[in-house]
Amino acid sequence: MPNPIGRIKATKNAGTEIMHSGSQKVMYRMDAKLNVFDAEMLRQMTDMAYSAGMEAGERKLQSELKQLLGIEVEEG
């Protein structure tokens, strides 16, 4: 599943809207107007956090599957 952040656009009242990549619905709004650099930094930070969460979830799922199958799970 890709990063959920889609389009980042400036609003008429000097704010910023972050859209969902799939549904294009507004995920959140900020009162601050982001420039291109700041918007890209926000996108990259969100991507890193999202990817880390996905990887942690995959490791947890792998561990749970190994336990169900009776395979020894390494602690750590």
Side-chain angles (χ1 to χ4, degrees):
M1 178 177 224
N3 183 342
I5 284 191
R7 191 165 48 119
I8 298 176
K9 71 172 192 168
T11 62
K12 293 178 184 176
N13 56 353
T16 302
E17 291 182 343
I18 311 299
M19 316 297 267
H20 188 274
S21 61
S23 67
Q24 295 303 311
K25 291 184 179 183
V26 174
M27 290 172 40
Y28 54 94
R29 291 183 178 96
M30 291 186 275
D31 291 334
K33 184 175 182 180
L34 297 180
N35 61 33
V36 174
F37 178 79
D38 292 337
E40 186 56 30
M41 288 296 107
L42 176 64
R43 185 182 310 278
Q44 288 181 16
M45 286 189 300
T46 303
D47 189 50
M48 288 187 309
Y50 183 80
S51 296
M54 291 297 291
E55 289 171 15
E58 289 172 0
R59 284 192 300 273
K60 184 175 187 294
L61 180 60
Q62 289 172 359
S63 174
E64 290 170 355
L65 288 173
K66 285 179 180 179
Q67 286 177 338
L68 287 171
L69 294 171
I71 300 170
E72 186 176 325
V73 179
E74 294 178 20
E75 296 294 323

